Amino acid sequence: MASLDKIVKKTPTLSQIANVIQKKAVAFAPKKTGNLKNKLESFNRPAGMVKQTMTGKGKFSLSFTIDVSPPGAEYGKYWNDPNVSDSVRKGKTKNVPESINFADKAINDPEVQLMIDKFIADATDEIVRAITTEVKNLE
C-alpha cells in the first residue's frame, strides 16, 4: 500500500519549479550545438530565474525566465528565437528544427504548468485560510 506522502501531492516550491524548467530547457535544446546544454544548466539558477512582484493594489505577480544565451553560448538565442536566423528557421543546419523555441517549450511544458497551477492553488488556499482566521478572531 502506498504511503500517505506518496499519495498526497505536495506543493512545489518556486525553486523546484525553476529547476524543472531548467532541466526541460536543457533537454529540449539542440544536441549538436557544442556546449549550449552545459551552459544552460550551469548558468540558470532558481534565484535568478524566479521573480515575484507585489503591487500596492494587492496584486501578486510571478514570472520565470531562463537565459537562452548564457556567456559562452550566445548562439542559444538563434535556437530560441528562429526569427533571428533564416538558416535555423528553415532547418538548414545540422540540428533538428524541433529544437527551436526550447525555453518556451520548457516553460509551457504540461508538467511545469501543473506545478505552477498547484503552487497558485495552494497559495490561494493558504491566503483564504489566513483571512478566514483573522475574520473569526475579529468576531
Side-chain angles (χ1 to χ4, degrees):
M1 188 161 120
S3 69
L4 186 59
D5 283 343
K6 289 185 180 179
I7 295 170
V8 176
K9 296 253 181 189
K10 294 183 179 175
T11 304
T13 65
L14 294 176
S15 283
Q16 289 170 326
I17 296 170
N19 277 328
V20 170
I21 292 170
Q22 178 226 50
K23 297 291 182 213
K24 287 192 176 285
V26 170
F28 291 143
K31 292 175 178 60
K32 297 177 183 175
T33 51
N35 63 353
L36 177 60
K37 288 179 178 268
N38 183 35
K39 295 290 183 183
L40 285 171
E41 191 162 27
S42 62
F43 187 80
N44 290 291
R45 292 286 171 239
M49 293 173 65
V50 181
K51 290 190 175 77
Q52 300 176 66
T53 312
M54 186 77 155
T55 65
K57 298 179 181 179
K59 291 185 180 179
F60 181 80
S61 173
L62 180 64
S63 64
F64 295 92
T65 55
I66 186 163
D67 188 339
V68 297
S69 56
E74 291 82 3
Y75 51 85
K77 68 183 174 187
Y78 295 104
W79 286 97
N80 201 60
D81 182 4
N83 295 322
V84 174
S85 168
D86 246 7
S87 61
V88 170
R89 186 173 60 252
K90 293 179 180 176
K92 294 180 181 176
T93 67
K94 294 177 184 174
N95 285 291
V96 282
E98 292 82 35
S99 296
I100 293 173
N101 295 325
F102 59 89
D104 298 329
K105 288 178 184 174
I107 289 173
N108 294 311
D109 185 84
E111 180 185 358
V112 171
Q113 291 304 309
L114 284 172
M115 290 178 81
I116 292 170
D117 291 346
K118 175 82 172 129
F119 177 85
I120 291 170
D122 290 352
T124 303
D125 290 346
E126 194 174 312
I127 291 167
V128 169
R129 259 193 311 276
I131 291 171
T132 304
T133 302
E134 287 296 318
V135 169
K136 285 182 180 177
N137 289 339
L138 291 174
E139 294 175 348

